[in-house]
Amino acid sequence: MSTASDRPLRVAVIGSGPAGVYAADLLSRSDAVAEGEVDVSIDIYDRYPAPFGLIRYGVAPDHPRIKGIVTSLHKIMESEKIRFFGNVEYGTDVQLEDLRAHYDAVIFATGAVYDASLHIPGIDLEGSYGAADFVAWYDGHPDVSREWPLEAREVAVLGNGNVALDVARVLSKHAEDMLVTEIPNNVYEGLKKSPVTDVHIFGRRGPAQMKFTPLELRELAKSRDVDIVLYDEDFEFDEASEAAIESNNQIKAMVKTLNKWREEQRENPGTASRRLHLHFMQSPAEVVGDADGRVAAIRMQRNELDGAGGIRPTTEIQEYPVQAVYRAIGYFGSELPDVGFDARRGVITNVEGRVVDEVENTVPGLYATGWIKRGPVGLIGSTKSDALETITHVLEDRDFTAERPEVGQVEDLLHERGVEFTTWSGWRSLDEHEQSLGAELQDAQGNPRKRVKVVPREDMVHISRKR
């Protein structure tokens, strides 16, 4: 067996989203590495040809500040201790036994990319969608259809988190106002044809319990020719709600924003061609279909505050005419081959990032971080503290077990299997190409676009692998 003095600790990270990149960064800059106690060599794998996961395929394109996180991720990936292998799928192109042969430790950072289920009558009608699928479409995901059926005039979005706001904002925004972003041309053409007039966001709880963030909420007011509509009956606060507002600055700021909009609404009734309705205290009860099996309406059950910071259902049902329903009630992780999985929570079975088996015995050399470790909760920045816990254990447990740790042997394996993998230099080529596509086009003000995403996987791979 090798020792620390013989070679670096070889680590594979599966997933190049923020969770995986932050884990690699914290590991490469750890005290143990800085003090010369151990050296590390890290390879980050991703099933997609381009890096950055959630940032590229899960964040709304009109969020330049959040997209700016890519800049910091870029700097991390430039490290001489980190390599990128894109277009390599774990479980298909490489198996766990392959990774164990080449690496001393494997960190899974595959995130949560599927929609959580909602079990109500009619949820499977035509015109009912998961938010994750729609986000993947407007973010130019290479594995989804280039078309999206934007045919509804009235739309319901179920959920009280930031994803619900993103979906509702993109649905209600005028297509030409999205040209300042990196949306692919097929997305622009699809949004341009949309006949939408009203988008309804429904949350189960009251304004004092909403899961938005102030930044996301304020973004709604920036959409041109879109009125925000609020309902006074949703703004009755009990003692627990008042206490939540006073004790939480974020909630206080958001309730203040909503009350400001209510006042503006009373003084100046909206005249915009589109409306974005914010509803609180309503839970979905049933999606109603027409004779052709398509969404025709949604029935919502009214809730009331229970006086202790929670809600309870009432018998009041209200029906809203809608022709499409988007559920944005959370994401759910997917099982990976040869790794324990908690099907109830949608996470890899783990204790503080150490993977465990069915009887909670630690599986040596296997770790998890990010949403696949703890579930799809928290903002992107919170993955840093999460990754720190995981890499602390990686260093504590370090054992030089890889039988074939030489860095060149990984490329040999992928070449032997005919895997058309992409690299960091390939990403830089794709990045430059997407920027050049934008320079050739104009936004609604006649300015060059900053970039336009390449969508087809084969094109991404070809551009990335050109020599």
Side-chain angles (χ1 to χ4, degrees):
M1 183 178 295
S2 301
T3 65
S5 61
D6 294 326
R7 63 172 176 81
L9 184 75
R10 292 279 286 142
V11 179
V13 178
I14 312 303
S16 69
V21 177
Y22 287 149
D25 180 45
L26 290 169
L27 182 57
S28 67
R29 296 189 300 106
S30 63
D31 290 343
V33 173
E35 295 168 3
E37 182 182 334
V38 65
D39 194 10
V40 293
S41 172
I42 305 164
D43 291 343
I44 300 180
Y45 291 84
D46 203 289
R47 63 183 297 190
Y48 306 121
F52 307 135
L54 175 68
I55 297 296
R56 184 172 172 92
Y57 295 124
V59 174
D62 57 348
H63 276 328
R65 190 185 71 84
I66 297 177
K67 289 287 187 180
I69 294 174
V70 168
T71 301
S72 65
L73 298 183
H74 254 273
K75 293 178 181 177
I76 294 170
M77 295 289 282
E78 294 283 357
S79 169
E80 62 181 14
K81 296 182 182 297
I82 299 172
R83 299 189 303 173
F84 173 68
F85 291 94
N87 203 40
V88 181
E89 184 166 7
Y90 170 77
T92 301
D93 299 315
V94 293
Q95 311 294 333
L96 182 59
E97 62 180 351
D98 300 318
L99 297 176
R100 283 197 174 279
H102 290 85
Y103 300 94
D104 305 303
V106 180
I107 303 174
F108 292 98
T110 50
V113 298
Y114 297 105
D115 286 289
S117 299
L118 177 62
H119 302 289
I120 61 171
I123 196 62
D124 295 324
L125 287 168
E126 187 177 350
S128 176
Y129 311 105
D133 293 333
F134 182 58
V135 171
W137 175 75
Y138 67 58
D139 267 334
H141 195 294
D143 295 339
V144 303
S145 171
R146 304 291 179 269
E147 305 296 326
W148 190 271
L150 291 166
E151 302 164 349
R153 297 182 311 280
E154 299 151 307
V155 179
V157 179
L158 308 178
N160 236 179
N162 287 339
V163 174
L165 291 189
D166 282 350
V167 168
R169 191 181 62 256
V170 171
L171 283 168
S172 59
K173 212 165 187 174
H174 290 276
E176 55 267 29
D177 294 335
M178 295 291 284
L179 285 175
V180 296
T181 76
E182 62 186 26
I183 60 167
N185 291 329
N186 67 292
V187 175
Y188 167 68
E189 293 297 334
L191 292 172
K192 187 168 66 172
K193 298 173 184 175
S194 172
V196 69
T197 59
D198 293 82
V199 177
H200 299 262
I201 305 175
F202 293 98
R204 295 172 54 245
R205 300 177 182 272
Q209 293 83 33
M210 56 187 158
K211 300 300 183 183
F212 310 138
T213 55
L215 174 66
E216 295 273 355
L217 184 64
R218 289 194 297 268
E219 284 288 324
L220 295 183
K222 297 179 180 179
S223 294
R224 178 184 61 85
D225 191 36
V226 179
D227 284 331
I228 297 173
V229 182
L230 296 162
Y231 298 85
D232 288 340
E233 62 266 27
D234 293 339
F235 288 83
E236 296 178 0
F237 301 114
D238 60 10
E239 187 174 333
S241 297
E242 296 284 3
I245 294 170
E246 288 304 313
S247 62
N248 188 302
N249 288 334
Q250 281 205 338
I251 293 175
K252 182 184 294 185
M254 289 189 288
V255 171
K256 182 178 179 180
T257 295
L258 292 174
N259 282 328
K260 175 188 173 187
W261 291 347
R262 290 171 66 203
E263 184 64 29
E264 291 172 350
Q265 179 178 303
R266 282 192 287 268
E267 294 176 356
N268 298 297
T271 58
S273 66
R274 297 180 178 182
R275 289 158 294 280
L276 203 162
H277 306 254
L278 282 171
H279 303 270
F280 297 93
M281 304 297 294
Q282 298 193 56
S283 296
E286 180 182 2
V287 180
V288 180
D290 61 16
D292 297 320
R294 296 184 55 84
V295 171
I298 188 164
R299 291 179 181 148
M300 305 296 298
Q301 184 173 28
R302 187 76 186 176
N303 299 317
E304 64 181 10
L305 299 170
D306 64 6
I311 57 169
R312 58 186 169 228
T314 71
T315 58
E316 180 183 347
I317 299 290
Q318 186 166 354
E319 185 170 298
Y320 297 85
V322 296
Q323 299 82 49
V325 173
Y326 292 79
R327 65 182 188 278
I329 58 172
Y331 288 101
F332 199 79
S334 53
E335 187 171 1
L336 300 171
D338 303 318
V339 184
F341 187 70
D342 183 338
R344 182 181 62 84
R345 296 177 56 220
V347 298
I348 288 174
T349 52
N350 75 94
V351 175
E352 295 183 349
R354 288 183 173 112
V355 175
V356 297
D357 61 20
E358 62 274 8
V359 293
E360 295 202 354
N361 290 323
T362 299
V363 181
L366 299 189
Y367 303 87
T369 192
W371 283 0
I372 199 63
K373 167 188 173 183
R374 58 184 163 84
V377 293
L379 303 176
I380 290 172
S382 65
T383 59
K384 288 185 179 180
S385 58
D386 190 54
L388 180 59
E389 179 182 62
T390 295
I391 68 101
T392 297
H393 292 318
V394 171
L395 290 169
E396 288 173 348
D397 304 341
R398 64 182 181 269
D399 193 2
F400 294 78
T401 57
E403 298 172 359
R404 297 189 292 279
E406 291 79 7
V407 293
Q409 292 189 346
V410 171
E411 289 100 323
D412 293 342
L413 174 69
L414 296 175
H415 283 306
E416 289 171 7
R417 294 183 177 176
V419 180
E420 292 188 311
F421 64 90
T422 61
T423 63
W424 182 247
S425 63
W427 157 249
R428 288 200 297 261
S429 297
L430 178 60
D431 186 31
E432 292 172 0
H433 180 80
E434 291 185 339
Q435 292 182 51
S436 70
L437 291 178
E440 296 170 0
L441 299 172
Q442 295 181 336
D443 63 21
Q445 285 71 47
N447 301 313
R449 297 181 62 185
K450 291 182 179 180
R451 70 186 300 128
V452 175
K453 272 185 182 174
V454 174
V455 180
R457 178 186 286 262
E458 58 272 20
D459 291 350
M460 296 171 66
V461 171
H462 174 71
I463 296 164
S464 299
R465 288 172 60 88
K466 279 196 304 187
R467 294 294 186 265

